Amino acid sequence: MFKFKISMISDCLFILLTSFLLFYTFLFYLLKNNAKAIALSLPFSIIVFCIYMILLKSKRGKLKVKREDEKSYIKCVNSLCLSPFEKAKNTVFLTLERLGKKPFMTDTGILCEDDFFFINFTYDSITTGGITEAYKKTPQGKNLVYVGVTFSDDAIAFTEGFLNRIKLLPLSELFVYMKKHCTIPDGGFVPNVKKIGFLSMLKGTFDKGKAKKFALYGGFLLIMSRFVFFPIWYIISGSLFLIYAITIKFFAPSYIGKSFLE
């Protein structure tokens, strides 16, 4: 399911308003007709908005797990992250074995032809430091294949410079083969997702760092009120955005980092 967040909605609104204003300004200059400029700007801005949504959805949809397998995948993640190392290692070993890879078990990982599979299933994204530590444990002459749930952007960029010496294998890719060869571990659970109410969502926007974004939206709406037939709604909406931005600046709490003693 493609879920929306307040930040995503505000970004979509920004794209829609900005593209409309851009097309309107250009078309009004060419046509010298307010009604025609608005009529043509609306479909153009909607097209830009749809393109943005398609790109956003494709970016968020890179996970290789099919939609109907999401619950099974979540259970698999929880099962492996909460399992002892040996059990998680045996799951990967069995998957490789059924793929015909002829793996060999070691104390720290799995040897498979020219590759050394290092297994670390954790809820935290694997960092560059974690990969370098695993590389130190890799037998000489073997390529490291780091098997984990997710990897940080820095870790992905770091491994790209090593060509085939270091490879990352996210669980989302391995899960496809685990399902095919029936090696998905038993257990696991799907956590209950608490629905967020409107007031909680609104509270999430009450952040000093978001004041400039709301002020920008308000400014755009007030500028657009100069070019539309019914400016009152744009003036009201733009004013509310600006008032909310000022309120955030005055009353939103400042972030205070925790001490290492806490």
Side-chain angles (χ1 to χ4, degrees):
M1 184 176 180
F2 192 55
K3 298 180 180 180
F4 289 90
K5 298 180 180 179
I6 287 290
S7 59
M8 188 187 304
I9 294 173
S10 62
D11 289 339
C12 292
L13 182 62
F14 175 77
I15 292 293
L16 193 60
L17 295 178
T18 305
S19 57
F20 176 83
L21 184 61
L22 178 64
F23 285 120
Y24 175 83
T25 304
F26 180 72
L27 291 171
F28 183 77
Y29 175 78
L30 293 178
L31 303 175
K32 308 298 182 184
N33 186 297
N34 195 44
K36 289 183 179 179
I38 292 175
L40 291 173
S41 298
L42 281 173
F44 280 130
S45 59
I46 291 173
I47 290 171
V48 172
F49 174 76
C50 291
I51 293 172
Y52 172 75
M53 290 301 296
I54 291 171
L55 293 175
L56 182 65
K57 190 171 183 179
S58 64
K59 183 178 180 181
R60 288 165 60 88
K62 287 183 178 179
L63 189 67
K64 289 181 169 55
V65 180
K66 293 182 180 179
R67 207 170 285 274
E68 59 267 22
D69 292 333
E70 285 182 355
K71 285 188 178 180
S72 179
Y73 174 74
I74 293 171
K75 287 183 178 180
C76 180
V77 170
N78 289 322
S79 176
L80 291 172
C81 288
L82 298 175
S83 294
F85 171 70
E86 288 300 325
K87 182 178 178 181
K89 187 170 66 168
N90 287 334
T91 300
V92 178
F93 180 88
L94 183 60
T95 304
L96 292 172
E97 192 174 48
R98 293 187 179 180
L99 283 169
K101 296 293 185 180
K102 297 180 181 179
F104 177 78
M105 194 81 75
T106 69
D107 292 336
T108 54
I110 301 171
L111 287 173
C112 186
E113 298 177 348
D114 294 329
D115 297 323
F116 172 71
F117 286 77
F118 183 86
I119 295 93
N120 182 21
F121 293 118
T122 174
Y123 291 110
D124 297 326
S125 293
I126 307 301
T127 62
T128 304
I131 293 174
T132 54
E133 288 300 316
Y135 190 75
K136 293 176 183 178
K137 298 177 183 179
T138 303
Q140 189 173 3
K142 300 294 182 180
N143 302 317
L144 170 64
V145 179
Y146 201 117
V147 185
V149 179
T150 58
F151 300 89
S152 68
D153 292 337
D154 290 340
I156 294 172
F158 174 75
T159 55
E160 287 176 352
F162 285 84
L163 298 177
N164 293 325
R165 292 293 296 169
I166 301 178
K167 305 170 188 175
L168 304 181
L169 181 58
L171 182 59
S172 57
E173 293 183 14
L174 183 63
F175 178 80
V176 177
Y177 301 102
M178 293 171 67
K179 180 188 175 186
K180 182 178 179 181
H181 296 283
C182 303
T183 59
I184 297 175
D186 296 328
F189 60 92
V190 178
N192 294 325
V193 179
K194 185 178 179 181
K195 292 185 178 180
I196 302 175
F198 175 76
L199 291 177
S200 299
M201 294 175 66
L202 185 62
K203 186 178 179 181
T205 67
F206 203 67
D207 187 328
K208 284 185 181 292
K210 297 178 181 178
K212 291 182 180 179
K213 182 180 287 189
F214 285 114
L216 182 63
Y217 295 156
F220 265 113
L221 288 170
L222 292 178
I223 292 172
M224 289 180 65
S225 69
R226 305 278 297 177
F227 306 106
V228 295
F229 288 117
F230 303 102
I232 184 64
W233 299 112
Y234 288 84
I235 293 172
I236 292 173
S237 301
S239 299
L240 288 175
F241 271 118
L242 291 177
I243 291 171
Y244 190 57
I246 294 171
T247 304
I248 289 175
K249 275 296 184 184
F250 272 93
F251 298 106
S254 300
Y255 173 77
I256 300 175
K258 289 185 177 181
S259 167
F260 69 94
L261 294 175
E262 295 180 355

